[in-house]
Amino acid sequence: MSTPSTKSVDLTQKKENGKRVVDSSIKNQSKTDVLHLIIRDGVYGYIFWSIFQALGAMIWFYPLNELEISGYEAFAAVWFSPIICIIPKVHNFLQKKWVLIFLRLVTVGSVASFQAPTTLTRLIILAIGAGVSMLVLAATLWHQVKAVRYRTYWGLVLGLHSFLASRVWFVTFAPAWWDNYTNSFVIACGVISALGYISEEESPKESGKGSVSSDSTLRSVVCGIGFGSLLYLTHMCFGEASLVTRWTVKGYPNTGPLPLPWGSAVLLALLLGTLWRSEQTTIKKLAGATFCIYVMLYSDPWVGFIAGCSLGYLTMLMWPDIVDRATQCQPGLCLAVASLTYIFQVLFWVWTVAFNFVPYGEYTREHTDWVVGCVMAGILLPVVFTKIPAPSFTASYDDKPDKSVPSFREYARVIVFIFLIGQAGMLKRHMKYTPGITAKVNSKVFTAGIWTYHFGYDNRGWQSMERAATLLNDTGADVITLLESDASKPFLGNNDLATWLAEKLNMYVDFGPSTKDHTWGNLILSKYPIIKSQHHLLPSPHGELAPAITASINISGTLVEFVVTHMGNDRDRLDRKLQAQFLAKELRNATGPAVFLGYVTSEPKSENYLHLIREGQMKDIDPTDMSRWCEYIMYKKLIRRGYARISHGGLSDTEVQLGTFQIPDNPDNFQDNQQVTVKPSTKNIDEGVLFNKKFGFYHEGHGYFDHNGFHMNTPKYFYND
């Protein structure tokens, strides 16, 4: 290597008065070179994590749209690329300087998949990059030269901390996949990083057997399972700072810790776990981590959150131990098994949530506890059946540093700096977030909306947050429920849609049933304070789990009860019947004004529809609208003022529905509006009631628009003569 070597260090020394001293100017240059090394490896580590966490979400888009296994899941096989290292001399070939530079450039280039013209092209390019990145990992983390292995490890750690800090600034989203500008910036940094390796000389072979021992195939398999399980645990719980809070969230007023600002504690736990030198055995660390993850699953919010932070600390403590064991094995087999383990565990969690749409789902239904058990048992295997090498290559450089690599303390300083950048992002967001309602002409009038959000992806598989936020803002809705909104799972990108939208729109938010509750998500956004709420899992003996929220929202001094839900699949009749009965009871128990915003999966006048109307003591906002199937707006003890259906315009697979209501002055004695008009100017409808003209005007029939516009015989306005 041409990076600071023993020879270069000797050049920094000269004799003065018979004594050897260090030339300060050259010493400072050496520090610059060390920082260059750290940044270069860290940037490539950042690229690795960006690609590693993105491929699963990109593959998932296809079965998500088709509600069945699509065949595109086969692209996950690219993660098995290191298996070619089993072929004699392939591993040594991959370690050649110019081969590694080329492979790194290909990896970085695959980030440009974000700007590809079609979803399939994007998937292919990203998959190629993911496969090549695993070859680079096999070549460098299992390199013949100890210093390269050491730097690769710390490059991964730096990359992970940088990745998490950057997501803080982008409110839980990964900058590489945000827009064309941030995508191009990440690519540019990656290219500079990859080309920076040109200055290195070809790494000399070290004497001895190198990093790969002659141990049995069984050792490689066992260590591969452990490494793959550790990768999955890191991704599942700490792929983004808000994840732990979303595993433990409850309803108002005792929601537990929220992502802002408590995500800072998660980042701090990961920092301490990375830098702390624990004398505990790996068995003790693993036992503690296992205890913590089950406490996080089953305890109250704050206790669960503390357990989650402790889990983060212990997870990072285990990284050096597990990596040390893995790098003493055959690289091709070990890393291929690690990839297989990671894929299996991702699919296992998919099966626990999507059990109603996959083969044998009835056996995995709601068994995240089994997923966690598999993960922790996987990490246990190498701990029990292998011995950690002494000394550990990931820790030994602190006391006897090789002059060709940065010391542990130098890495620690950079990681702390990255942590502080993340904390600055948290502080900025915290100061900016001021939810609340602005002054209105008529404070008693409010608009409620429902939309099946589709996890923040549009119908072509592209991230649609900015466009969706613009749509929601243009509706003027005061209370919105978004269904299919929990994207915190690893195969959905680890994105917190609730937090992003709340901060973007300056609204209060209730995340709804937590990520560990095995639903697809159901949240509430409100311009008015949410006083209390309760999260529900509706009765689902046969089909998919159905989430619901009942919330009391203070609208201009009046508590309005909202019941929002996504009922189960239409093929499970008993499920939907029981769910309708539960929801009707919740609505009937609401003694004041109430609004139902529900995805009912039944046609108007169906058994479930009528049960909600009769037993829930509700009224349909427009009983003449017979073209609905899923989304319904119902109400009681309110005056209806307007109703609209807005086409999705490719942002989702479902339209937006809006209902405008007025809170009566006397809830015990008022008259609801009985007449309907589609020409508000002829009936002197109040300006404050009219929907945004940006969506056009009254439109008959379906609107097959490439934009968001009124359709399905709306908007309608209600009045009395």
Side-chain angles (χ1 to χ4, degrees):
M1 295 184 183
S2 64
T3 51
S5 62
T6 304
K7 181 179 179 181
S8 65
V9 171
D10 290 339
L11 291 176
T12 68
Q13 299 175 344
K14 62 181 181 180
K15 288 190 176 182
E16 185 175 301
N17 297 327
K19 295 182 180 180
R20 181 168 292 180
V21 297
V22 177
D23 187 317
S24 60
S25 63
I26 301 178
K27 182 179 179 181
N28 290 336
Q29 181 64 40
S30 298
K31 288 182 178 179
T32 302
D33 292 343
V34 166
L35 184 60
H36 169 259
L37 276 175
I38 292 174
I39 293 174
R40 184 183 65 188
D41 294 337
V43 168
Y44 183 78
Y46 182 96
I47 298 288
F48 172 84
W49 287 109
S50 295
I51 293 172
F52 183 78
Q53 292 202 18
L55 182 58
M58 192 68 240
I59 292 173
W60 175 251
F61 169 74
Y62 290 92
L64 171 67
N65 269 13
E66 299 175 21
L67 294 179
E68 61 183 1
I69 296 174
S70 63
Y72 290 96
E73 295 84 356
F75 277 94
V78 299
W79 274 317
F80 299 137
S81 59
I83 198 69
I84 67 172
C85 294
I86 293 178
I87 302 173
K89 298 185 179 180
V90 168
H91 191 237
N92 288 340
F93 174 75
L94 293 177
Q95 292 178 351
K96 293 183 179 297
K97 172 184 172 179
W98 290 102
V99 173
L100 271 177
I101 291 173
F102 172 75
L103 294 177
R104 286 188 174 106
L105 286 172
V106 171
T107 301
V108 172
S110 71
V111 178
S113 61
F114 181 81
Q115 302 182 44
T118 67
T119 308
L120 182 58
T121 304
R122 180 182 177 187
L123 175 58
I124 293 171
I125 296 173
L126 182 63
I128 291 172
V132 173
S133 72
M134 296 302 285
L135 291 177
V136 174
L137 186 64
T140 55
L141 195 57
W142 279 263
H143 202 278
Q144 302 171 76
V145 179
K146 182 179 180 181
V148 177
R149 303 198 301 273
Y150 173 80
R151 281 177 32 216
T152 300
Y153 170 80
W154 281 105
L156 285 174
V157 173
L158 283 166
L160 177 61
H161 283 277
S162 301
F163 184 69
L164 296 178
S166 69
R167 294 188 77 152
V168 170
W169 282 88
F170 282 76
V171 195
T172 82
F173 280 81
W177 316 117
W178 182 247
D179 60 29
N180 287 352
Y181 297 106
T182 57
N183 179 258
S184 298
F185 179 78
V186 171
I187 293 170
C189 292
V191 170
I192 294 171
S193 168
L195 294 178
Y197 290 92
I198 293 176
S199 62
E200 286 191 348
E201 296 178 0
E202 192 79 42
S203 300
K205 293 184 179 181
E206 294 183 347
S207 58
K209 63 183 179 181
S211 64
V212 180
S213 74
S214 57
D215 288 340
S216 67
T217 299
L218 179 61
R219 178 187 175 94
S220 296
V221 171
V222 166
C223 289
I225 293 173
F227 187 38
S229 298
L230 184 63
L231 281 171
Y232 180 72
L233 175 63
T234 305
H235 188 183
M236 176 179 69
C237 296
F238 308 107
E240 203 283 310
S242 71
L243 299 182
V244 172
T245 65
R246 292 321 191 186
W247 277 65
T248 59
V249 66
K250 295 291 185 182
Y252 281 79
N254 301 313
T255 60
L258 296 175
L260 188 67
W262 292 103
S264 295
V266 177
L267 295 179
L268 178 61
L270 296 173
L271 173 74
L272 295 176
T274 300
L275 302 183
W276 192 260
R277 296 299 186 84
S278 173
E279 299 300 327
Q280 290 182 333
T281 64
T282 309
I283 281 285
K284 290 183 178 179
K285 297 172 189 174
L286 181 59
T290 304
F291 174 77
C292 286
I293 196 168
Y294 278 104
V295 170
M296 185 175 71
L297 279 175
Y298 295 114
S299 65
D300 292 334
W302 281 101
V303 175
F305 176 73
I306 293 171
C309 290
S310 301
L311 174 65
Y313 166 76
L314 292 167
T315 297
M316 297 312 297
L317 275 184
M318 290 189 292
W319 261 83
D321 300 344
I322 300 303
V323 170
D324 277 336
R325 287 178 165 87
T327 53
Q328 299 304 303
C329 303
Q330 208 287 333
L333 181 58
C334 183
L335 199 48
V337 171
S339 298
L340 178 62
T341 302
Y342 171 82
I343 293 170
F344 169 77
Q345 289 168 356
V346 170
L347 289 176
F348 199 155
W349 198 4
V350 171
W351 251 247
T352 68
V353 184
F355 54 81
N356 202 38
F357 306 101
V358 295
Y360 308 109
E362 63 272 20
Y363 300 109
T364 59
R365 171 177 173 156
E366 301 180 72
H367 277 302
T368 297
D369 54 340
W370 291 6
V371 177
V372 169
C374 286
V375 172
M376 306 317 283
I379 299 174
L380 176 66
L381 287 176
V383 176
V384 172
F385 293 105
T386 66
K387 292 182 178 180
I388 190 169
S392 161
F393 83 77
T394 56
S396 61
Y397 277 84
D398 188 35
D399 301 320
K400 297 179 180 180
D402 185 320
K403 300 302 180 182
S404 66
V405 297
S407 69
F408 172 82
R409 290 185 179 87
E410 289 165 324
Y411 279 121
R413 293 189 190 104
V414 175
I415 292 174
V416 170
F417 178 72
I418 292 170
F419 168 77
L420 293 176
I421 291 176
Q423 297 311 297
M426 285 285 187
L427 179 62
K428 180 178 182 293
R429 286 169 50 190
H430 184 68
M431 295 175 65
K432 184 179 178 182
Y433 180 48
T434 55
I437 187 70
T438 56
K440 298 180 69 173
V441 175
N442 188 342
S443 62
K444 293 292 186 178
V445 173
F446 68 91
T447 298
I450 178 173
W451 188 21
T452 306
Y453 196 46
H454 220 49
F455 309 104
Y457 294 97
D458 67 18
N459 292 345
R460 296 175 59 244
W462 263 252
Q463 180 272 118
S464 63
M465 297 298 293
E466 290 283 3
R467 290 171 289 155
T470 299
L471 169 60
L472 293 173
N473 190 58
D474 288 341
T475 65
D478 300 296
V479 180
I480 307 165
T481 184
L482 297 179
L483 314 173
E484 297 181 8
S485 56
D486 184 358
S488 296
K489 302 174 180 69
F491 51 87
L492 283 166
N494 285 147
N495 303 317
D496 189 341
L497 310 185
T499 292
W500 192 94
L501 287 166
E503 294 183 31
K504 180 70 174 181
L505 299 174
N506 257 340
M507 300 177 77
Y508 300 97
V509 66
D510 187 330
F511 184 81
S514 70
T515 298
K516 65 186 178 186
D517 288 328
H518 309 96
T519 77
W520 297 115
N522 181 11
L523 65 83
I524 293 178
L525 292 163
S526 174
K527 294 178 181 177
Y528 295 95
I530 303 171
I531 305 303
K532 65 177 180 179
S533 65
Q534 187 174 358
H535 302 163
H536 307 285
L537 294 182
L538 302 183
S540 305
H542 300 306
E544 63 179 329
L545 290 183
I549 308 173
T550 56
S552 301
I553 299 179
N554 184 346
I555 300 181
S556 302
T558 300
L559 282 184
V560 180
E561 303 294 327
F562 286 83
V563 178
V564 304
T565 188
H566 186 313
M567 291 175 65
N569 192 280
D570 65 289
R571 66 191 179 199
D572 299 300
R573 295 189 60 187
L574 176 60
D575 287 38
R576 287 182 296 125
K577 179 180 179 180
L578 296 175
Q579 291 163 13
Q581 291 173 355
F582 181 94
L583 294 166
K585 181 180 178 181
E586 291 293 310
L587 292 165
R588 186 171 61 252
N589 289 340
T591 57
V595 178
F596 173 75
L597 304 168
Y599 188 104
V600 181
T601 54
S602 296
E603 67 277 3
K605 311 302 180 183
S606 66
E607 177 185 359
N608 296 326
Y609 169 95
L610 293 174
H611 191 85
L612 290 168
I613 295 289
R614 294 168 180 168
E615 297 302 318
Q617 301 171 354
M618 303 296 286
K619 294 191 287 186
D620 189 344
I621 194 170
D622 184 11
T624 67
D625 186 350
M626 302 301 294
S627 61
R628 292 167 295 173
W629 169 252
C630 292
E631 295 176 347
Y632 291 86
I633 300 176
M634 300 177 186
Y635 69 103
K636 71 176 180 180
K637 297 187 179 181
L638 292 166
I639 302 170
R640 62 175 181 168
R641 299 297 303 272
Y643 170 58
R645 298 173 66 172
I646 301 175
S647 62
H648 56 69
L651 283 179
S652 173
D653 59 352
T654 312
E655 67 181 6
V656 178
Q657 284 190 19
L658 301 172
T660 299
F661 302 95
Q662 181 174 335
I663 301 171
D665 294 328
N666 186 348
D668 298 320
N669 184 20
F670 70 95
Q671 183 179 4
D672 196 4
N673 287 324
Q674 302 299 325
Q675 305 299 316
V676 183
T677 183
V678 296
K679 297 179 180 180
S681 60
T682 65
K683 300 300 179 182
N684 296 319
I685 303 297
D686 296 341
E687 187 71 24
V689 174
L690 299 180
F691 295 110
N692 194 339
K693 294 179 181 178
K694 178 178 180 179
F695 302 117
F697 299 93
Y698 177 76
H699 186 281
E700 289 189 5
H702 207 302
Y704 293 99
F705 307 135
D706 59 0
H707 62 279
N708 304 115
F710 294 124
H711 70 155
M712 304 306 291
N713 306 330
T714 70
K716 297 179 179 179
Y717 299 94
F718 306 98
Y719 67 99
N720 282 324
D721 289 328

